[in-house]
Every structure is written in structure tokens, then in C-alpha cells.
Amino acid sequence: MRLTAGLLLWAAAGSIVRAEDKATLARASTDLAVPPSASVILAAHTDEQRFSGFLEDQMEIDSRRQAQAKEYEEIHSILHDYQTKIEKKDEQLLLQQKLPESILKIRRDVSQDLPEPIKTPFRAMQQLIGGVLGWTPHSAYIRVTAGPRKQPEKVRSALERLEKLADDGFERAMVLRAEMKMYGRYSTPMDLGSAFEEYQAISEKTGNAQAQYMLGFFYSTGVGGAPQKNSLALLYTSLAALQGHIAAGMVMGFRTKMGAGVPADCAEAVEYYRLVARTAIDYYVSGPPLGRTMPGYRMRLSDDAGSAYGVKTGPYSLYRATGREEFGKLVEYYRFSAQKGNLKAGMALADLYYSGHEHMPRNLTMSARHVRNVLSHIFTADGKLRLDLTQAEVNVAGNAAGLYGIMLLRGEGVEEDTRLAAKWLEIGAGLGHGAATNALGYMYQHGIEVAASSEDAIEL
């Protein structure tokens, strides 16, 4: 059977013909006694030229995007450091009740930007916060901008570069500019109306999940002069949720569970919550062995100021250790006790440095130093427990061995060493340390230094 010229043309049309494809086409034509027509060869050559041009354009675009991404990271680092400094300074001044006039000027009643249905409860919340922190009701405003501050030259230059990147259509720069206007960051005035327009432009151009979520917020509340439309709020929030936006997923899960603006549907709510859970778990397990470090306890106003029944009476107030000054004295006491040979105090310091605290950032190197010191006092040179230990010291031994094994497995404060980690985790698990048992099960599950065995992992 002879292939017709029409079939050959069809084979060439609608696809990009590479060099090896042309050779194959020529061989097929020879075998079937059909000479390749000039039109087919010309079409293949034209398509190859177009493809080559497309690749060059794409490479140029990728190169430009990489340069933009690098510049954005530099800009973001400058602005983030600046914002962190001014927020810490404001927080210290606020707690000391030493707000200078320059800061008082940037405080205004943001409830004026809210629609009538939520204006009254928002003002009530302001008065509540004012009572807790000692402000008068008319001064209990939310700080929304640091506008009067004079920006350093480095920050002004970074903001100019950010504007240019955003105008050039770099998505992350566009989102950061919108957030700057939304929250009044980097000593710029807050402009909710302009932020709303920015998020609209980003959503239409890129379909960015954060922009869609924020549009859902605007349409839901009517803040910043946006039209209050529940249908559009649901549309944008659900679009963001389907892209894996965690906050949007939680909002839609709550709405569908409670029937807020939509028919109540527990099954659909579960699906939204499942999306959020899957995203969170994927992020958690993407870190080192045993997953990323979980965030610490979030301090509440009631932890420091007391709940309705006074200080340290709420269910979470037990987490409140001390104020900063008292905390410093407590740490000094632990250090002194540890130096005197108090193993429990030494282990308390190791745990404190490992987990961090409201008044002390994590310091894995210091944690490893303290835990090794505890181990040296409890175990002999060949890794066996000393015979003269009390039961309390044996408990400390289990905690120390387990924590050290985990740090070795994850490479936290020490060089990663899975062989040594397995040894200390075995000891910790044998002494009843739960986290060590879990880590040892992880090693069996994934075959780290031992033969992979799901059964042994479950047994642990």
C-alpha cells in the first residue's frame, strides 16, 4: 500500500518536526516509494525555525525571570529587616507606655473604614484591648502605618526597585506591593482602596491564590470601599482554597460547616479541611527526618494580663512562665545549678535552648552542649548507665539520650550522624523516652541504619 501525499502532509501539520523526525519521514517515504514532497520538507523546515525561535524567546524570558527573582529576594530582605526593627521598637515603646508623638500621630480609628454591620463590634474590641493595655477608649486604636517615620535611603531605594519590578509584572513583587498598601508596611501609608485594586489586577493577570483570598476578604467585609458581595467573596475564596491556600481552605471549611452564606454541608467542609491538612502535612514532612519543627506556643493577652478571673487562672495561663526579667533570673539559677552538678537543671537548659521561649530564641548549639554535659555525668565511657544513679537521674538519662539521638538524626546543633543517632535512640527508647521511641520507629520505617521494616516500626 502506498501512503498518499495527503497523509504525509497531515503527519507534518500541527506538530513540530525535529531533525530525527525528518529523517524518519524520509526513510518512510523511500520505503513506500513516495518521494517526500517539497511542501512537506518546507513545512518541516519552517516549523523547526519557529521552534528554534520559540526556544530562544523562552530562554530569554527565563533568564529575565531569574534576574527578577534574585533582585526581589534582595529587596524583600531589606524591607523585612526594616519592618522587623520598627515593629520591635514600637512593641517595646507600647509596653513601656512611652509612645512618642510621632507614633501617636500614626494611630487612627480604622473602624471608620469598615461597613456598618461590623463597625460597632470592632469598636467594642478596641475598647477591650484598650482596657487590657491601659489606654483610654478614644486612644485604643490599631496601629496601621508608620507613615511619619523617615525611611532610610536604603529602604527608599528598595521600595523604588519594588515598584519597578511590580510594574514589569513580576508576580511576587506585585503581591508584596499590595500587602504594603494593605497593612501600611515599611513606613508607608495604609491605603485599603488601592490595595483592593492591586489585588484585583493580580488576580486577573496571574490567578494568584493570595490575591484571590484577599479579594474574598474585601468582598465579604466591604472594607476599603469594596462592594460587599457574598457571591464574589465565596467565588474568590473557593478559588484560592482549591489552589491550596491554607487560610482560604479554613474559611471555606468553616463556611460550609456552619452554613455561613452557603448551604451547610459537613461532607464538603471535610473536603476543604482535608485540602488544608494535606498541604500542612506535605510541608511538615518536607523537612529533615521527623519533619519540620512545629511552631511554639502562641502567647495570648490573657497570659500576661490575666483572664476574666485574674492572672494565671485561664486554661492557657499555665504556659506563661515569667516576665522577661524574672525569666532571666530563672535561667541564671538553672545555669548555676547545672554547674554545681544538678543534672535536672542541665537538662532543663538543654530543653529550653532546643525549644526556644518567648524571651529566648532557639539555640541548638547551646542545647547540644548542655545535653552532652548531662550525658557525660550519667553514662560511662562505653555508653552504659552509672550504677549509683537515683530514679530521678535515670529519668533524666532517658530524656538526654532521646534528645541527643534526635539531634544527631536531624543534624541539629551537631553534625548529622545516623549511626550514632541509632545508638542513643535505642538507649532513650529503652529508658522510656517517648520521642526517642518515635524517632527509632521512623528509622525502621525508612530503613535508616537498619533494615526497613514497617512491622518493627509499628511494634515500637
Side-chain angles (χ1 to χ4, degrees):
M1 179 182 294
R2 296 168 60 89
L3 289 176
T4 64
L7 285 176
L8 289 173
L9 286 171
W10 173 84
S15 61
I16 299 173
V17 182
R18 300 170 298 172
E20 56 267 30
D21 297 329
K22 290 193 295 182
T24 302
L25 181 62
R27 286 197 302 272
S29 301
T30 303
D31 294 341
L32 298 170
V34 179
S37 65
S39 60
V40 171
I41 296 175
L42 180 61
H45 180 66
T46 302
D47 283 343
E48 187 174 10
Q49 285 182 321
R50 290 174 179 170
F51 183 56
S52 177
F54 168 78
L55 284 180
E56 291 176 359
D57 291 343
Q58 193 62 42
M59 290 175 64
E60 182 179 349
I61 292 172
D62 291 344
S63 177
R64 185 168 67 251
R65 289 299 183 192
Q66 289 176 3
Q68 288 177 327
K70 183 178 179 181
E71 183 178 12
Y72 172 83
E73 292 299 336
E74 294 174 359
I75 294 170
H76 184 266
S77 177
I78 294 171
L79 295 179
H80 178 268
D81 290 345
Y82 175 65
Q83 183 68 20
T84 301
K85 288 178 182 177
I86 62 177
E87 286 181 356
K88 284 184 177 179
K89 184 176 180 180
D90 278 4
E91 182 181 1
Q92 291 172 357
L93 292 171
L94 175 63
L95 293 176
Q96 297 169 7
Q97 293 294 293
K98 295 180 180 179
L99 295 176
E101 185 180 355
S102 61
I103 293 182
L104 286 174
K105 286 180 179 178
I106 65 174
R107 307 174 70 81
R108 65 184 180 86
D109 187 357
V110 295
S111 67
Q112 62 188 344
D113 298 316
L114 302 175
E116 287 299 329
I118 60 175
K119 187 175 294 186
T120 299
F122 186 84
R123 283 178 173 165
M125 181 189 72
Q126 286 180 316
Q127 292 180 359
L128 173 63
I129 295 176
V132 170
L133 297 182
W135 304 337
T136 58
H138 28 276
S139 70
Y141 301 147
I142 304 300
R143 184 176 65 80
V144 295
T145 177
R149 283 193 178 90
K150 183 179 179 181
Q151 297 166 334
E153 176 59 33
K154 188 176 183 180
V155 174
R156 289 199 299 271
S157 175
L159 289 174
E160 290 172 1
R161 292 164 63 193
L162 177 67
E163 288 285 345
K164 186 177 184 304
L165 266 184
D167 290 341
D168 289 343
F170 188 67
E171 184 176 343
R172 294 165 68 189
M174 295 169 70
V175 173
L176 184 59
R177 183 171 66 178
E179 291 178 349
M180 178 179 69
K181 295 178 179 179
M182 178 76 191
Y183 304 109
R185 291 174 178 164
Y186 320 124
S187 299
T188 59
M190 185 173 102
D191 188 343
L192 296 177
S194 181
F196 174 60
E197 294 173 358
E198 289 272 0
Y199 284 124
Q200 279 185 313
I202 297 169
S203 177
E204 292 172 2
K205 186 171 184 178
T206 69
N208 180 275
Q210 175 65 15
Q212 291 174 339
Y213 169 70
M214 292 306 299
L215 285 176
F217 166 77
F218 274 103
Y219 283 121
S220 178
T221 62
V223 72
Q228 195 168 6
K229 295 183 178 180
N230 185 57
S231 57
L232 289 176
L234 286 171
L235 171 65
Y236 282 108
T237 308
S238 60
L239 287 174
L242 292 174
Q243 291 193 67
H245 192 282
I246 292 180
M250 293 297 291
V251 169
M252 290 305 300
F254 178 81
R255 275 179 170 267
T256 51
K257 175 190 174 186
M258 304 303 295
V262 293
D265 188 334
C266 288
E268 187 175 353
V270 167
E271 289 304 315
Y272 279 116
Y273 286 132
R274 182 177 285 118
L275 283 174
V276 173
R278 186 178 296 119
T279 302
I281 290 299
D282 287 345
Y283 174 78
Y284 175 72
V285 300
S286 66
L290 302 177
R292 295 179 180 270
T293 302
M294 298 295 286
Y297 169 72
R298 282 187 170 184
M299 298 300 294
R300 294 166 168 79
L301 284 174
S302 59
D303 294 338
D304 285 320
S307 64
Y309 300 98
V311 178
K312 294 189 177 182
T313 58
Y316 297 104
S317 61
L318 295 176
Y319 290 93
R320 179 183 181 274
T322 56
R324 186 179 297 275
E325 183 178 351
E326 189 180 355
F327 175 80
K329 293 179 180 179
L330 184 62
V331 171
E332 285 303 316
Y333 170 75
Y334 277 135
R335 286 173 180 160
F336 177 78
S337 298
Q339 290 172 359
K340 293 294 183 180
N342 188 321
L343 300 180
K344 190 174 181 180
M347 194 60 214
L349 284 173
D351 283 330
L352 186 61
Y353 280 116
Y354 185 81
S355 301
H357 186 272
E358 179 192 8
H359 304 312
M360 178 188 288
R362 297 183 78 203
N363 189 328
L364 298 176
T365 302
M366 287 296 295
S367 178
R369 183 182 302 174
H370 282 288
V371 77
R372 278 196 293 254
N373 182 59
V374 171
L375 291 173
S376 67
H377 285 81
I378 293 180
F379 291 89
T380 61
D382 56 355
K384 294 182 179 179
L385 276 174
R386 282 172 29 199
L387 300 178
D388 56 343
L389 298 177
T390 65
Q391 184 57 49
E393 289 173 330
V394 171
N395 294 337
V396 171
N399 295 339
L403 178 59
Y404 192 51
I406 290 171
M407 296 179 78
L408 287 165
L409 178 62
R410 294 165 60 85
E412 294 178 320
V414 294
E415 186 176 347
E416 182 179 330
D417 188 334
T418 54
R419 182 190 61 79
L420 199 56
K423 168 192 169 181
W424 285 109
L425 289 175
E426 286 274 8
I427 295 173
L431 293 173
H433 190 259
T437 304
N438 177 67
L440 198 59
Y442 178 91
M443 297 185 76
Y444 274 100
Q445 179 186 2
H446 297 277
I448 302 174
E449 296 295 338
V450 293
S453 172
S454 298
E455 292 78 8
D456 289 341
I458 292 173
E459 284 296 323
L460 287 171

